[in-house]
Amino acid sequence: MKILVTGGAGFIGSNFIHYWLKNHPNDEIFNLDKLTYAGNLKNLEDLQGSPNYHFVLGDITNVDIVRDMVRKCDLIVHFAAESHVDRSIIDAGEFIRTNVLGTQMLLQAAKDFDKRIHHISTDEVFGSLDLDSKEKFNEKTPYDPKNPYSASKAGSDHLVRAFYDTYGISMTISNASNNFGPYQFPEKFIPLAITNLLEGKKVPVYGDGLHVRDWLYVEDHCRAIDLILNQGEIGETYCIGGSTQDVNNLTVVKKIIEILGTDESAIEFVKDRPSHDRRYAIDWTKAKEKLGYEPQADFDQYLKQTVEWYKNNQSWWQEIKSGTYQEYYQKQYGG
Ligand code: NAD
Ligand code: TYD
């Protein structure tokens, strides 16, 4: 099978490509990525020259490239997006362009060439849960996005479903919670905290630090996508979450500090993010019952593994933090 992966040079996309080729070595992957600040070919360095992996530099809003790639492939797994909430608050433009317009380009091509598309989305489209409620998001939760990033992802989800309802395209959607693990850009909370602590810097904690995320290890997410691609029902949405719920941001930093053996004086409370969602939690019963999905370890074990990875791969994140990582592809692609 030939799979078009969009955004495969980013965090989840590169983990997915590694996961997929390990578990499906006879498939061929075409990675279409624009290499924005978040795309890093070092994430896939070990696959360079491999006969079943191909990198294609391109933008998902470029209709010619998109149509050419969709035509050549059997299946699309769509990760490409602007993904950082804080950046969307500063400037929403690229979020609308890539996340909404780019998704529409892929959908149009999927429709025209009759190809299946799996759309990777987020639980952030459902908005915010109260800290003291026991409520969780599920596939029937109404959409209620509260920042430009989640609004742009909600827009893309609605388009995917509208293309299914209107034209009967072959699609599935997954709404996953916050991922963490190897190759995550260190602007996101967990890698930012780990790398700042390794550098002896402070960890900025927004507001009171009591915001809760449903942490999902990236490999569990990749396994869930595999299950959806192989056993998921066309036209369905699946919510994917992690093993540990109701861990707040302050607790996450304290756990990382404990693993690293540093001290809590590194925690610095800073001004809160505007419209900061208080709590996310996912009820992944449907994925469990229909697909047999289940996280394979608990949060503490995965967090230890993740801290270990950042300790052992310091040049990977140091190049990002110093900005030199983009020279690597500029040399190859003149970007
Ligand atoms: P990321 O920011 O690490 O990577 C995004 C990738 O997309 C980068 O390689 C970037 O170069 C590429 N890209 C951006 N704009 C593009 C364009 N116009 N054309 C082609 N490529 C483009 O993101 P991530 O954290 O890996 O997230 C991947 C997907 O998963 C996104 O759709 C995101 O909304 C979704 N998601 C993320 C999380 C999370 O916690 N990170 C959770 C749930 C869902
Ligand atoms: P983030 O990784 O940006 O993911 P998202 O906003 O998509 O959930 O943030 C995770 C949580 O950590 C969120 O509640 C915001 C908080 N946060 C901080 O407290 N400090 C930071 O420096 C960052 C980046 C996030």
Side-chain angles (χ1 to χ4, degrees), residues 40 42 319 322-335:
N40 187 351
K42 286 254 164 104
E319 281 177 24
S322 70
T324 56
Y325 72 109
Q326 288 191 317
E327 287 168 14
Y328 179 77
Y329 82 79
Q330 277 158 3
K331 266 191 218 125
Q332 296 185 57
Y333 297 97

Side-chain angles (χ1 to χ4, degrees), residues 134-192:
K134 292 265 168 280
E135 208 188 330
K136 293 179 183 180
F137 300 133
N138 65 36
E139 291 77 5
K140 295 200 166 68
T141 305
Y143 278 43
D144 187 19
K146 305 233 183 263
N147 61 61
Y149 163 67
S150 51
S152 69
K153 291 298 289 186
S156 66
D157 291 15
H158 288 317
L159 275 174
V160 176
R161 186 147 296 287
F163 267 65
Y164 173 73
D165 289 333
T166 311
Y167 309 112
I169 67 159
S170 182
M171 70 77 174
T172 38
I173 300 176
S174 46
N175 293 93
S177 55
N178 286 65
N179 282 219
F180 68 108
Y183 301 115
Q184 186 168 30
F185 199 88
E187 65 183 352
K188 301 280 165 61
F189 188 53
I190 287 185
L192 179 81

Side-chain angles (χ1 to χ4, degrees), residues 4-296:
L4 173 60
V5 171
T6 69
F11 162 49
I12 308 175
S14 60
N15 276 281
F16 176 78
I17 293 173
H18 282 122
Y19 170 92
W20 195 269
L21 290 177
K22 199 165 132 202
N23 290 284
H24 307 274
N26 297 326
D27 286 347
E28 205 173 343
I29 288 198
F30 293 82
N31 172 15
L32 173 62
D33 198 297
K34 183 184 173 183
L35 296 180
T36 66
Y37 80 94
N40 187 351
L41 288 179
K42 286 254 164 104
N43 300 2
L44 297 154
E45 209 172 15
D46 53 323
L47 293 174
Q48 262 189 6
S50 153
N52 52 357
Y53 168 72
H54 315 277
F55 176 70
V56 182
L57 180 64
D59 191 319
I60 57 163
T61 63
N62 179 324
V63 66
D64 295 331
I65 296 178
V66 164
R67 290 181 74 79
D68 185 45
M69 295 311 301
V70 168
R71 190 177 46 77
K72 279 186 195 149
C73 293
D74 305 305
L75 162 72
I76 307 150
V77 186
H78 175 34
F79 294 92
E82 287 295 332
S83 69
H84 193 45
V85 173
D86 293 326
R87 287 179 188 256
S88 80
I89 292 169
I90 294 164
D91 184 359
E94 278 303 297
F95 288 73
I96 306 307
R97 205 183 68 82
T98 289
N99 301 2
V100 182
L101 189 62
T103 301
Q104 185 256 326
M105 298 276 172
L106 285 160
L107 289 167
Q108 188 64 40
K111 166 186 172 282
D112 291 347
F113 298 108
D114 195 17
K115 302 289 165 74
R116 176 176 176 185
I117 181 166
H118 178 67
H119 177 59
I120 308 294
S121 194
T122 165
D123 62 352
E124 305 195 19
V125 297
F126 302 125
S128 182
L129 297 167
D130 289 339
L131 262 194
D132 50 11
S133 87
K134 292 265 168 280
E135 208 188 330
K136 293 179 183 180
F137 300 133
N138 65 36
E139 291 77 5
K140 295 200 166 68
T141 305
Y143 278 43
D144 187 19
K146 305 233 183 263
N147 61 61
Y149 163 67
S150 51
S152 69
K153 291 298 289 186
S156 66
D157 291 15
H158 288 317
L159 275 174
V160 176
R161 186 147 296 287
F163 267 65
Y164 173 73
D165 289 333
T166 311
Y167 309 112
I169 67 159
S170 182
M171 70 77 174
T172 38
I173 300 176
S174 46
N175 293 93
S177 55
N178 286 65
N179 282 219
F180 68 108
Y183 301 115
Q184 186 168 30
F185 199 88
E187 65 183 352
K188 301 280 165 61
F189 188 53
I190 287 185
L192 179 81
I194 300 171
T195 59
N196 274 15
L197 288 166
L198 287 170
E199 290 180 306
K201 292 183 184 160
K202 301 267 189 201
V203 178
V205 172
Y206 296 165
D208 58 12
L210 302 183
H211 302 79
V212 168
R213 296 296 182 260
D214 179 337
W215 294 104
L216 168 63
Y217 190 62
V218 65
E219 199 177 314
D220 283 332
H221 187 190
C222 294
R223 193 176 303 104
I225 298 166
D226 189 350
L227 289 166
I228 295 168
L229 292 177
N230 282 296
Q231 299 169 44
E233 205 177 308
I234 297 301
E236 290 294 306
T237 286
Y238 298 89
C239 282
I240 309 297
S243 51
T244 313
Q245 291 179 336
D246 288 328
V247 182
N248 66 42
N249 295 339
L250 197 52
T251 307
V252 171
V253 185
K254 287 183 178 170
K255 282 176 186 282
I256 297 170
I257 286 172
E258 198 185 321
I259 297 167
L260 286 171
T262 55
D263 76 88
E264 292 182 8
S265 61
I267 296 172
E268 183 175 41
F269 289 96
V270 298
K271 193 166 168 257
D272 207 353
R273 172 191 280 172
S275 187
H276 189 178
D277 290 338
R278 201 54 163 156
R279 173 174 161 263
Y280 302 144
I282 291 238
D283 172 0
W284 39 266
T285 308
K286 176 176 171 184
K288 184 179 169 143
E289 286 178 356
K290 302 279 180 196
L291 310 169
Y293 166 75
E294 210 159 8
Q296 307 246 302

